[in-house]
Amino acid sequence: MINTDAAVQAFCRENDISIFLSHDMPAGYEDAYGTYDVTVNTLFLNTALLQDAQEEELLFTLYHELRHAVQYLHPERFDERIQTSRFYVILFDGRCFKLNGNAWLSCQLEGTEDMFSSAYLSLPYELDANRYACEKVQSLCGATPLLKELCAFWLPEETVRSEEMEKLFARIDAALNIPENTGNQ
């Protein structure tokens, strides 16, 4: 089994960040392998689920979430699309969130599961974290069949166009009664 604590410490040193690591998942994330929450600067890893995961799955989750930490803590390292999109979360069921100050605000939008799943996978900060995880895990494990499968799943061939993402962000802002281009942007 990979020593996740040591991997996180090494990553933090290499990327000039400091985060907390917790193996107790926050409420609502019990079925997720991991998540990073900037509001508490914590990377949560679900060791109960990951104990049966293959090495590539564990590493993919770890480095995906660590990349999110860098996106939030050093936004200047990323392009404008990543900097803007990181304030939004879109879930497959239409639940959406926006980071406003140090709090996540939530709303429910109407639409199809396919639409929201495509939007989630097309979020620039998610694409970046998935690409990074694919490259990092390949450098550690090689191009294994499982890694190829993970990368194919998390990096769609077709993504939602930028204009459509901007419209979705505007819908989220409107549902939350947040004027466009305010909050953390």
Side-chain angles (χ1 to χ4, degrees), residues 7 19 44-45 58 97 100 115 120 147 151:
I19 64 172
F44 296 92
L45 285 179
L58 171 60
F97 301 85
N100 192 23
M115 179 193 84
Y120 167 77
L147 180 59
C151 295

Side-chain angles (χ1 to χ4, degrees), residues 68-159:
H68 284 323
V70 175
Q71 292 167 341
Y72 284 102
L73 299 173
H74 285 292
E76 73 281 358
R77 296 180 186 174
F78 300 92
D79 67 32
E80 184 179 335
R81 292 181 63 226
I82 292 170
Q83 289 182 33
T84 299
S85 67
R86 70 195 162 102
F87 296 112
Y88 295 90
V89 173
I90 300 167
L91 302 182
F92 71 94
D93 61 0
R95 285 183 295 145
C96 298
F97 301 85
K98 183 175 184 180
L99 184 62
N100 192 23
N102 198 39
W104 288 102
L105 305 178
S106 66
C107 64
Q108 181 72 43
L109 299 182
E110 294 295 320
T112 66
E113 185 175 319
D114 285 343
M115 179 193 84
F116 290 120
S117 293
S118 293
Y120 167 77
L121 289 172
S122 298
L123 285 162
Y125 73 95
E126 289 294 346
L127 287 168
D128 174 72
N130 288 329
R131 285 185 190 113
Y132 178 80
C134 287
E135 291 169 7
K136 183 69 175 179
V137 177
Q138 183 171 338
S139 75
L140 297 170
C141 300
T144 67
L146 176 56
L147 180 59
K148 289 178 183 178
E149 185 180 313
L150 288 168
C151 295
F153 179 81
W154 292 110
L155 293 170
E157 290 182 24
E158 292 185 35
T159 59

